Amino acid sequence: MPTKGKKNQKGQPEKYGEMKKRTNFTLTPTGTAQLENLAARRELSKSEFIEQVARGEIPIYPDALTSMEKEVVKKHSSRLLLFPMMN
């Protein structure tokens, strides 16, 4: 996770060893508010939240995980999941 309060040097990879590329997409106002809420709950920027979801660091739907992904979640059970496990 990037150092809190430390801004990335332009042109220098920060966390993932590669440069980020600007990507634009469109959301409804409700989707935007949800994204802001979910990112804020983890003290992440919207961009970093999406990055971590895309990399599988934040599982989207735990019930839809493969058995291998479930093992990773068990190993790292101290991490918050996007949605709680359903019993």
Side-chain angles (χ1 to χ4, degrees), residues 53-77 79 81 85:
V53 169
R55 289 177 174 270
E57 295 174 21
I58 298 175
I60 299 172
Y61 294 102
D63 292 338
L65 297 176
T66 66
S67 58
M68 181 185 286
E69 291 168 331
K70 287 178 184 177
E71 288 302 313
V72 171
V73 170
K74 283 181 189 176
K75 281 185 184 177
H76 304 285
S77 60
R79 291 185 181 190
L81 296 175
M85 291 280 193

Side-chain angles (χ1 to χ4, degrees), residues 30-42:
T30 301
T32 300
Q34 273 296 86
L35 175 59
E36 289 169 350
N37 180 30
L38 291 167
R41 285 178 20 204
R42 288 161 185 78

